[in-house]
Amino acid sequence: MFKETYTVIGVMSGTSLDGIDLARINFTIKNEKWSYEILESETVSYSNDWLNKLKVAVGFSSEELTKLNEDYTDYLGNVINSFIAKYKISNLDAVCSHGHTILHQPQNGFTLQIGNLPKIAKIINQKVVCDFRVQDVRLGGQGAPLVPIGDRILFSEYDYCLNLGGFSNVSFESNNKRIAFDISPVNTVLNFYANKLGLDYDDKGKISSSGKVNLELLNELNALDYYKKAFPKSLGFEFVKEIVLPLIENYSISIDDKMHTFTEHIAYQTSIALPIKSGKILITGGGAYNDFLIERMQFHLPNIEIIIPDNKTLEFKEALIFALLGVLKLRNEINVLSSVTGAKMDHSSGNIY
């Protein structure tokens, strides 16, 4: 007999590298309907040392990756322990951790999220559910996006759920199937250029808004092969490093203009990605704070009602949903949808340590 309530910690580190999100969450299931409450939550920023390592790790050798995985698992365990101690948290059902994606090459049958080694359970002395993507790739799927099942279970009142993080991804119902895919890079590119100006990010899109569109660059970006592919499809940092940034760097224009043009590209690709251009869209992730990006999305989608939720849901939605994926794994229930990832079947993914 399954429980009706679960208390877990969700842990997420995204490709935008803004830090490790942690949130203690209470889940309740009654009459097959899930509800949640986000309790204590915080984002632990990366030190410069960790930032630099994670930025360049895509080019590491297998030996360097093995060491990085060991070190990051130790580091992540200590971050989780500090969070538990700070808020005096006890009686947890599990810690549900995504880890941090370093390599994502589903076309080669490979994805790597560091911080998911079995020793993490010993470090934090808790049951851990983690490593949610690998099994899906083994089953022929993209290993991403995994958030859509959480969108279906927790946010069904919205026509679309859009996350604006390192990359943007959308999920929605179509013919009683959940459809989801990565749309385009977002903060992986915008933060790269903000960093060149000595900033962590472009506050509210002020820098981007001060630039102007370079139509030639915009057209080249919009013509990239990825946007012509049918879903399921997903993006990794390799796409940004090998294709997007070299393309932008071909243009001798100001950083403001590069950021303005890329913001327009994100907004345009979002509008193209939505099959029905009306209804309600829930927007979460760091990009929801980028007023200029939201303004450009509204311009391209005049008949869509854009809803940005309370700060906790906005900032910790991915930690919330990976917490839910962990609970579903504990119940041995489906937590990955083949309609989204392209795997051979729906399945219950993740490791329990």
Side-chain angles (χ1 to χ4, degrees):
M1 188 66 188
F2 288 129
K3 296 168 35 147
E4 280 194 349
T5 60
Y6 295 84
T7 301
V8 296
I9 293 174
V11 185
M12 175 70 197
S13 171
T15 45
S16 52
L17 291 172
D18 47 3
I20 299 166
D21 293 337
L22 304 103
R24 181 165 73 106
I25 297 148
N26 280 346
F27 288 107
T28 305
I29 182 166
K30 277 190 180 158
N31 303 321
E32 298 187 6
K33 185 156 177 58
W34 288 93
S35 58
Y36 71 90
E37 183 184 7
I38 300 175
L39 303 166
E40 304 88 2
S41 57
E42 67 176 82
T43 299
V44 177
S45 297
Y46 285 115
S47 66
N48 284 337
D49 184 41
W50 270 112
L51 265 180
N52 293 333
K53 275 187 203 166
L54 296 174
K55 277 179 183 172
V56 300
V58 68
F60 277 12
S61 68
S62 56
E63 292 82 9
E64 288 171 318
L65 283 174
T66 299
K67 172 140 187 11
L68 182 70
N69 200 354
E70 290 281 344
D71 293 347
Y72 188 81
T73 302
D74 291 337
Y75 170 66
L76 188 59
N78 290 330
V79 168
I80 295 167
N81 274 337
S82 298
F83 181 76
I84 290 170
K86 179 176 178 178
Y87 295 106
K88 301 180 172 62
I89 296 169
S90 58
N91 302 322
L92 283 171
D93 290 292
V95 172
C96 312
S97 179
H98 171 270
H100 183 84
T101 298
I102 294 295
L103 299 172
H104 184 64
Q105 300 167 8
Q107 71 280 10
N108 300 322
F110 187 72
T111 186
L112 172 66
Q113 287 70 46
I114 59 172
N116 290 328
L117 296 176
K119 69 174 177 178
I120 194 161
K122 289 196 178 74
I123 295 168
I124 66 174
N125 198 26
Q126 300 283 346
K127 183 178 285 187
V128 174
V129 191
C130 63
D131 219 5
F132 295 100
R133 298 188 189 273
V134 172
Q135 178 176 297
D136 189 74
V137 172
R138 285 194 193 123
L139 288 169
Q142 291 279 311
L146 299 189
V147 166
I149 192 163
D151 291 340
R152 171 185 272 180
I153 290 171
L154 300 177
F155 299 103
S156 59
E157 68 267 36
Y158 300 98
D159 298 285
Y160 298 102
C161 290
L162 176 70
N163 186 68
L164 299 174
F167 299 90
S168 56
N169 50 69
V170 69
S171 87
F172 52 92
E173 295 290 325
S174 178
N175 299 322
N176 297 318
K177 271 187 170 179
R178 196 77 191 178
I179 303 297
F181 50 91
D182 288 347
I183 299 175
S184 74
V186 179
N187 292 329
T188 42
V189 172
L190 295 178
N191 289 356
F192 173 83
Y193 285 109
N195 294 168
K196 281 185 172 289
L197 297 172
L199 301 166
D200 291 334
Y201 58 92
D202 180 10
D203 185 32
K204 297 185 177 168
K206 287 173 190 161
I207 297 163
S208 304
S209 67
S210 70
K212 57 184 185 293
V213 167
N214 181 292
L215 279 175
E216 193 183 341
L217 171 57
L218 181 63
N219 291 336
E220 267 205 83
L221 287 165
N222 287 331
L224 289 172
D225 285 345
Y226 178 80
Y227 302 118
K228 301 184 187 86
K229 286 183 183 171
F231 53 79
K233 58 181 181 175
S234 62
L235 288 166
F237 189 66
E238 296 93 326
F239 176 72
V240 171
K241 186 185 173 201
E242 293 162 16
I243 296 171
V244 176
L245 292 178
L247 170 56
I248 299 172
E249 288 302 284
N250 277 339
Y251 285 79
S252 300
I253 57 176
S254 69
I255 287 178
D256 303 19
D257 288 357
K258 288 174 181 176
M259 292 175 77
H260 187 111
T261 303
F262 200 79
T263 300
E264 190 66 21
H265 168 66
I266 297 163
Y268 176 74
Q269 287 302 329
T270 304
S271 71
I272 295 295
L274 307 189
I276 297 167
K277 319 292 185 195
S278 60
K280 292 198 293 188
I281 186 167
L282 178 73
I283 299 185
T284 53
Y289 290 113
N290 186 325
D291 294 348
F292 180 58
L293 175 56
I294 300 300
E295 181 189 306
R296 295 312 300 158
M297 283 186 180
Q298 190 73 81
F299 173 83
H300 287 286
L301 292 161
N303 298 318
I304 289 256
E305 183 186 355
I306 290 176
I307 293 157
I308 295 172
D310 64 275
N311 280 4
K312 273 191 177 178
T313 303
L314 192 161
E315 292 178 18
F316 296 97
K317 178 171 173 259
E318 287 194 293
L320 162 71
I321 289 183
F322 279 100
L324 176 65
L325 262 62
V327 170
L328 294 172
K329 176 66 181 177
L330 292 175
R331 294 165 63 91
N332 200 31
E333 293 177 3
I334 286 165
N335 64 3
V336 179
L337 300 170
S338 58
S339 64
V340 166
T341 67
K344 290 174 192 153
M345 58 188 182
D346 294 345
H347 54 102
S348 188
S349 190
N351 290 319
I352 301 173
Y353 300 130

